[in-house]
Amino acid sequence: MLSFTEENYLKALVQLTVFSEDVSEIGVNSLAKSLDIKPATASDMVRKLKDKSLVNYEKYGKVSLTPDGAKKGMMVIRRHRLWETFLYSKLDFSWGEVHDIAEELEHIHSEKLIDKLDEFLDFPEFDPHGEAIPNRYGEIMIPFRMTLSEVEVGKDCKIIAVKDSTDFLKYLDKIGLTINDRVRVINRETFDELTTISYDGKTAVVSPKLADNLFVVCAKCVKAKCDC
């Protein structure tokens, strides 16, 4: 049985490597930054995970997941996203509330419970934030998408996912943006990349940080990259 901390490390490594198109290994400093801890602390834990054959690592080198480590990390993500979906769709928690609760529930290890939860929810493919949910085998289909910051001026797009951050989700609620909203990019300033968008009869000027954390597809062809 892995500790909560070990599971959190494996989950972070999956998010930093498996979910990336071109990164299969990272440095300890990058891992530490993602977990908001000191590099020395991350190094100690990485060595423990190596001893359990969950990561590949040599001192001062890169860290990568073994197949077993990737599977275990993916299962933590599966549990997290299923619990978020349950809390949101069945218990009426807001999409900004579910993350912190799911952070605790994701460490419940009963495979039977999680499979029953998946069945009860009718095998959802995506969580409330639009992120794909791994199946019981640790397999996941990550849809092609782009960020709002990549959308050309004058183009329409559809929001399909958002970054799972409590503060960010609260801000989206404040300005009235959510999954499946259609957004048009009206203008983007060259100097500071502030982007003017229109949606649902509203107009707003959003920061590059917001634009980088909204994941979209073309509203016309529902693709990430297109010639529309």
Side-chain angles (χ1 to χ4, degrees), residues 8 36 45 66 70 96 102 108 137 150 173 208-209:
N8 287 337
D36 195 23
M45 179 55 70
T66 64
I108 297 175
Y137 305 106
E150 297 176 278
D173 284 338
K209 185 175 183 180

Side-chain angles (χ1 to χ4, degrees), residues 36-186:
D36 195 23
I37 57 175
K38 296 179 180 179
T41 303
S43 293
D44 289 342
M45 179 55 70
V46 166
R47 284 193 289 269
K48 292 179 182 178
L49 294 174
K50 180 185 177 182
D51 290 342
K52 294 186 177 184
S53 300
L54 297 172
V55 302
N56 302 304
Y57 174 67
E58 297 299 332
K59 191 173 182 180
Y60 305 122
K62 299 289 187 178
V63 184
S64 64
L65 288 158
T66 64
D68 189 34
K71 173 72 176 297
K72 284 182 166 57
M74 196 68 79
M75 288 297 98
V76 181
I77 291 171
R78 168 175 164 79
R79 296 193 296 265
H80 182 100
R81 293 180 178 175
L82 282 173
W83 282 121
E84 284 192 330
T85 304
F86 172 74
L87 292 166
Y88 179 78
S89 64
K90 301 301 180 180
L91 298 185
D92 295 326
F93 282 84
S94 73
W95 69 343
E97 294 175 310
V98 297
H99 176 78
D100 290 343
I101 303 171
E103 284 282 289
E104 300 180 39
L105 294 171
E106 70 186 25
H107 299 293
I108 297 175
H109 292 95
S110 172
E111 186 175 330
K112 181 177 180 179
L113 171 63
I114 299 305
D115 287 344
K116 288 289 187 181
L117 179 63
D118 195 12
E119 181 181 5
F120 176 70
L121 294 169
D122 196 24
F123 306 103
E125 295 182 356
F126 300 96
D127 72 9
H129 311 111
E131 297 292 357
I133 301 173
N135 66 20
R136 69 191 308 268
Y137 305 106
E139 301 166 338
I140 190 170
M141 182 198 71
I142 303 174
F144 292 105
R145 62 193 187 183
M146 56 186 166
T147 62
L148 181 63
S149 58
E150 297 176 278
V151 179
E152 295 178 9
V153 172
K155 297 290 187 178
D156 292 336
C157 59
K158 178 182 177 182
I159 300 173
I160 62 168
V162 300
K163 184 177 180 181
D164 187 355
S165 161
T166 301
D167 289 339
F168 182 57
L169 295 173
K170 286 180 179 177
Y171 182 70
L172 291 181
D173 284 338
K174 181 179 178 180
I175 64 174
L177 268 178
T178 190
I179 300 290
N180 294 323
D181 276 355
R182 183 169 176 148
V183 175
R184 167 163 287 193
V185 177
I186 299 174

